[in-house]
Amino acid sequence: MGLKAVFEANPNRRYIMFGGKGGLGKTTFSAATAYWLASQGKRVLVFSVDPQASLTDIFQRDIFGKGPVKIMDNLWAQEIDADSHIKTYQGEIRKKILDMYGLDAVPEEIENYIQAASAEPAMEESAIFDAVVDVVVKGDYDYYIYDLVPLGHALYYLSMAKVYDEWINRVTHLREEMREYEEMVSRLKREKTTEQDEILNELLYIKGRINASSSILTDKAKTAFFFVVIPEEMIIDDTRNAAKLFAQFDVPIGGYVVNRVIPHQLLEQNIPSYLRNRIQMQDRHLDGIRSAFGNQVLAYVPELERDVTGLPMIEKLADIMYGNGSR
Ligand SMILES: Nc1ncnc2c1ncn2[C@@H]1O[C@H](COP(=O)(O)OP(=O)(O)OP(=O)(O)O)[C@@H](O)[C@H]1O
Ligand SMILES: [Mg+2]
C-alpha cells in the first residue's frame, strides 16, 4: 500500500506525525503532506515547537510565534514559541500568588524561585506540552500535522505525557478521597459544603486535557506516526530501535517513508563511478529497509536537485509522495 492509499483508507486519522533522526526530512514531509491534504480540500494545520523555526524556512514566510499563519487555501502553519509560553506561565503564577495572599507585589524570594523554576528543562517541556495540547484539543482543523523535533526529544515528550498522566491520576484520586472525608466531617458537624474545591477542579481540568491529548496520540484510529528513514545502515538500526520504544508507549506506527533515494534511471546515463557506487550502496541498504520494515514501507522519495523550500518545490514533492509520481 502507498502513502496516498493509507490516507484514503483511514479518513479518521486526523493527527499526523513524521518522526525520525535529525535532518532526514521530517519538516519536508510534514509540509508536503499538509500541502497535498489542503489541495484535496481538507483544512490543515501544520505546526511545530521547534525553536529553529524550520516551517518558516520551508514556507519562506515569517511564522514563528505568530499563531496559525495562512499559507494558502485550507493550509495554515504555526510555530509555537515555547519561551513566550514560559513567560505567560510565570505571569499566571505571579497573579495567583498575588490574589491568594492579597499582595501588591511578589516577594523577592518567591520571584527568585519562579525564575529558577523556569530555567528547569521540565518547565520548558511542560510549557511545550501545554501549548501542543492547546492546539490539538481545540479541534478546528480536519488535519493536524505535528512536525516533530528529532527522535530522542519526541520520545522524551511522549514518556512525559505518560508520567504526567499517572502522577495526576494519583493526586486526583487522593484529592477526591479527601473531599469525601471532608464532606463527611462537615455533615457530622451539620455544616454546608457548597465551597468549591479549586485544587481538585484544576487537577481534573489538567487531567482532562492530558487524557484528551494522550488518547489522541495513542489512538490508532485517529493518529498515524510515520518514520522517515534514509538508505544508510546506522539510520536503519536506530529507526528499528526507536520503533520498538514507540511501541512501548503505544504510539501507533503508520508506516515508513524512505527519503533521499538516488534515482535508478541515472544508471542508464553516463555517470561517474562515484555516483554508480553510491547507487549500489543504497540498493544494499534499501534491501535492508525492506527486510526490516517490509510492507510497512509506504513511499520512496528521490534525492531532488535542490533543497525543498518554497511552495513550488513543496508541490513537486507532494506530487511525488501522493500524486501520479508516487509508487
Ligand atoms: N528528497 C530530498 N531531496 C533534496 N533535499 C531534501 C530532500 N529531503 C529533505 N531535503 C533537504 O534536507 C534538509 C533537511 O530536511 P528537513 O528539514 O525536512 O529535515 P528534518 O528531519 O525536519 O530535520 P530536523 O531534525 O533538524 O528537524 C532540508 O534542507 C531539506 O530541504
Ligand atoms: Mg525539522
Side-chain angles (χ1 to χ4, degrees):
M1 206 189 266
L3 254 186
K4 185 179 175 190
V6 165
F7 273 88
E8 283 169 355
N10 301 280
N12 294 327
R13 280 191 191 161
R14 301 167 52 218
Y15 304 94
I16 310 298
M17 289 173 277
F18 286 94
K21 297 201 76 177
L24 300 189
K26 298 179 292 295
T27 301
T28 307
F29 287 179
S30 297
T33 303
Y35 183 96
W36 174 66
L37 288 167
S39 62
Q40 302 288 304
K42 310 289 185 200
R43 286 165 56 86
V44 185
L45 178 72
V46 53
F47 71 99
S48 83
V49 293
D50 180 3
Q52 308 297 323
S54 21
L55 291 174
T56 287
D57 292 340
I58 194 163
F59 288 116
Q60 298 177 326
R61 291 275 300 275
D62 187 10
I63 292 166
F64 191 72
K66 296 210 153 86
V69 173
K70 187 162 184 176
I71 303 294
M72 60 180 219
D73 271 358
N74 295 321
L75 177 56
W76 286 262
Q78 179 173 3
E79 276 175 339
I80 295 161
D81 175 359
D83 280 345
S84 87
H85 274 268
I86 292 175
K87 297 229 166 65
T88 312
Y89 250 38
Q90 291 177 332
E92 281 167 10
I93 293 169
R94 280 192 202 98
K95 188 170 177 307
K96 273 187 190 159
I97 290 171
L98 296 181
D99 289 351
M100 213 174 344
Y101 299 105
L103 300 170
D104 296 324
V106 175
E108 197 185 321
E109 251 170 85
I110 294 178
E111 182 57 39
N112 289 345
Y113 176 76
I114 294 174
Q115 294 296 339
S118 319
E120 293 278 326
M123 178 84 161
E124 188 181 344
E125 291 298 331
S126 85
I128 289 176
F129 186 83
D130 221 51
V132 171
V133 172
D134 248 354
V135 166
V136 170
V137 169
K138 263 192 203 144
D140 302 334
Y141 298 88
D142 296 327
Y143 281 90
Y144 291 86
I145 300 183
Y146 185 4
D147 172 24
L148 290 171
V149 288
L151 260 188
H153 212 75
L155 267 175
Y156 181 66
Y157 166 83
L158 288 169
S159 64
M160 203 183 73
K162 216 162 186 172
V163 171
Y164 241 43
D165 196 35
E166 276 164 24
W167 181 79
I168 289 199
N169 267 336
R170 224 173 299 154
V171 179
T172 320
H173 188 70
L174 262 178
R175 204 62 211 177
E176 271 167 351
E177 280 184 352
M178 262 169 67
R179 180 143 86 172
E180 275 172 31
Y181 175 75
E182 280 164 9
E183 275 173 7
M184 200 171 71
V185 170
S186 60
R187 254 202 315 278
L188 288 175
K189 289 186 180 167
R190 294 173 194 286
E191 284 172 2
K192 279 201 291 185
T193 51
T194 45
E195 186 192 321
Q196 291 268 342
D197 185 335
E198 276 187 37
I199 298 176
L200 180 59
N201 284 343
E202 179 124 341
L203 283 171
L204 286 172
Y205 170 72
I206 297 173
K207 185 170 148 54
R209 283 164 56 89
I210 287 179
N211 280 350
S213 76
S214 73
S215 74
I216 287 170
L217 268 177
T218 55
D219 184 340
K220 221 180 162 63
K222 290 186 186 152
T223 304
F225 183 99
F226 299 105
F227 271 108
V228 184
V229 285
I230 59 172
E232 272 179 28
E233 192 164 339
M234 218 177 71
I235 301 290
I236 301 171
D237 292 345
D238 288 350
T239 306
R240 208 190 286 126
N241 291 332
K244 276 188 210 140
L245 272 171
F246 270 59
Q248 280 172 19
F249 287 113
D250 304 321
V251 178
I253 294 167
Y256 297 78
V257 182
V258 186
N259 194 13
R260 293 191 168 264
V261 181
I262 305 170
H264 241 233
Q265 298 90 295
L266 287 178
L267 287 174
E268 292 153 21
Q269 296 173 25
N270 187 16
I271 55 168
S273 59
Y274 169 85
L275 194 52
R276 208 167 279 278
N277 285 339
R278 295 270 317 165
I279 293 174
Q280 275 161 8
M281 194 194 74
Q282 281 205 344
D283 275 346
R284 233 182 23 253
H285 296 315
L286 286 169
D287 283 343
I289 286 176
R290 272 185 286 270
S291 69
F293 310 123
N295 59 6
Q296 285 184 286
V297 180
L298 304 175
Y300 295 88
V301 175
E303 174 84 41
L304 298 177
E305 70 279 9
R306 50 155 287 199
D307 277 6
V308 183
T309 47
L311 283 183
M313 273 312 270
I314 294 171
E315 181 183 7
K316 179 172 176 172
L317 190 72
D319 201 44
I320 292 171
M321 290 172 77
Y322 297 99
N324 298 325
S326 66
R327 49 175 171 136

